[in-house]
């Protein structure tokens, strides 16, 4: 199942500089792992915002929760989850990337 | 440049049945063309909503406008456009699909 | 997967009386079927509102969409879908009903 | 009478780690008691949110207040209460669980 | 149980003059009955608004729904219901009127 | 003149325990005085909220301000005031209590 | 008592031209009368909006309602009323005009 | 004085085709005149929206109202006006274009 | 040019008592000056709110900014500015005060 | 590509006086550089607000992000970015400045 996930990371920027740098480093590492697992499929920054928006895939909401809970920034993040359903247009065959 | 585009098609459902069916047919055809051109990259339905959300790619806002204006449902659609910037995580190499 | 689904039926009330009565009859019949299939688990009215809120279960968003599309009032309804994840408290065993 | 109760627990996460762990332990204990009493009937997590949503049953708003006031997290929680009325569909007999 | 009920009657004003007058007459009559039954306890107009706000008493949400459904303007009204709980201050004895 | 006054007392709960207890005691005392004076006519708690909603009577907005300013919690409170006008239904005679 | 009153007249513009012109003429006439009575004290247009905002004075909300009900555009208007209290700064003497 | 003016033209699209075309032609003509007068300084389309946003210059709000009232689409437009003040950065000399 | 200016002073109340008293004293003094200059024309308190709303006159937005920046509470205030245009009704002659 | 960028600088005002002065100095310096580069084209203050709104030009969202990230106030700023598309009116030739 696909989910659109918006993660606001504003509060991360209130951390002391060292903690902030360390957290970003650990977060990037975990992000790479989730990409390799095919859970995090696409990721963008929202211009001007301290937030990202990504395409996540998981069996269901529980599996998504587990993945989100594994993010080091989880305690500082405000997250909006939008469940996505297949569009008839794409049901007739995968979209070119 | 990537854009997240939400298209609300509620007002299409107020059309007489024949017009509605014809419009959907022409819209699907145009959608196919945009997919083939790599402008429309991903497309989902929003559960419960008469709306879709898609990943669109265009050189800039003008090019995106041109693509959106080419949609048969354009006169009936309410469209939200969110510009997307590259996330550092993906700048280090394309995400697995 | 569980979903909380709020269905606003205000526009149904703009229909001519006969059409309204027939639609409500067909809708109740379909609701009964969905209950029997275990898709529609709980259903309440929202005091003062022309809307209901219900607990729906489906494999994923696509399956939920299919069930919602099968509702006779679908063309007149405004629907809000909230995906639900298992709470640790209930993971330790089903809640008494 | 049924109530849909959304409890936002974000501020609990600002507590020192030990206090947070102790509070969660006491909260789970109280939650189990309320489930056994049939006051807390169903409970879910909202994906991405530090919040839960549950089906509560109480004689009236006063009884619900009493139950909510008994929650250890009460001082840190932002709570939305929605009163629910019986839907005609279910008035004709209990829904299968 | 007490409820604060806000009833927006804007759409009543779109009716032809005769229908509007008749509806208001029947609504006032029904309002009188509900007052006599002690269901409708207090009623005010909201300055500038085509809306009223009232203090209603009913055993529970179902009973309130029944009373609201009995209002002739029900099909035209947008209604907000707020459940009220007893305040400790008044629990120590009824307020002077 | 009648006013509907919603008082959010969330910030009172951030006070040290002793200060909080003393403030609530003084607030209850002042509330009793205002009830005796017929300024505070009805008062309820909003289920789940750290807020109350009450029916206040005062000659005009200045008199209401004076009464609200006399509340010990005033510095911590967020207050919403709604002016109320007499409804034709009640103009024909006082409502039964 | 002073009130700030915002009157949205958008729907007046949906009337046939003759009706619109006649309504505006009658409305201006009534406005003149209210000014002469000292009820309508100041009046401005909101740039870009089909709305005005004015300073109204009336004994209480009932008197204000009566004045607003006397406006020919009343059936077409959406009105926001804000009650105003005397500011200490002006309590020490009237403001220069 | 500079103003940022957002003009939503959605309702123009509900006009019959001929009227719509004629209105757009007259609107473009008037826009040209306002540009030549230096009243309309910059103009953009908002991607996906049936709306434009422009930089307008006028002596004051009255002068701006007069210019906006001169637009053929005025009866169909929803307009948001934001007054702009000089920024210290630009007060030190005009910005390069 | 007239402006409606709403000034929220909530954060002033978080200051230590002495600072608060001094700030209010200085603010009242500056307010008297602005009244004498005819910049601050009318001022009211918003019942229940720690905010005031006033009628300000200035040549343009820059002049208004200058006046607002001169307020001692400026660093603590949240300010909403609404530009006002002359209403045709008053263009035919000044309103009685 | 043009962007309308609104930058809220409220949190800058919570800094100690010296830090605030230094930050504003560095920010003005960087602003001058961006103007010289033609990235920051126009800039205004929003009356009453601790915020500015500006016309920015960049190849795409990534280039805009880079420019915004170079602002000294970036960690304290809340930024709203609106992508702008060319309006047909201006496509027929540049607007007079």
């Amino acid at each position: 199942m696909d989910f659109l996930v918006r993660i606001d990371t504003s509060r991360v920027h209130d951390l002391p500089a060292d903690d902030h740098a360390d957290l970003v480093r650990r977060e990037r590492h975990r992000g790479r792992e989730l990409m390799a697992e095919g859970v995090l499929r696409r990721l963008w920054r929202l211009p001007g915002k301290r937030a990202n928006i990504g395409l996540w895939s998981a069996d269901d909401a529980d599996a998504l929760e587990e993945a989100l809970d594994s993010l080091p920034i989880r305690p500082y993040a405000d997250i909006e989850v939008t469940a996505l359903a297949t569009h008839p247009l794409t049901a007739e065959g995968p979209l070119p990337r």
Side-chain angles (χ1 to χ4, degrees), chain A residues 48 75 79 92-93:
Chain A
I79 301 177
E92 298 144 13

Side-chain angles (χ1 to χ4, degrees), chain A residues 25-70:
Chain A
R25 186 186 52 72
R26 285 185 294 121
E27 182 70 9
R28 290 268 166 83
H29 178 72
R30 179 58 188 145
R32 297 296 293 179
E33 290 176 342
L34 289 167
M35 285 196 289
E37 293 164 24
V39 174
L40 173 55
R41 305 286 297 286
R42 300 300 305 268
L43 190 63
W44 299 271
R45 276 185 73 179
L46 291 168
K49 294 294 177 190
R50 284 189 285 271
N52 63 63
I53 195 160
L55 172 62
W56 294 64
S57 291
D59 290 343
D60 54 29
D62 287 353
L64 178 68
E65 271 292 275
E66 215 174 302
L68 294 176
D69 278 347
S70 76

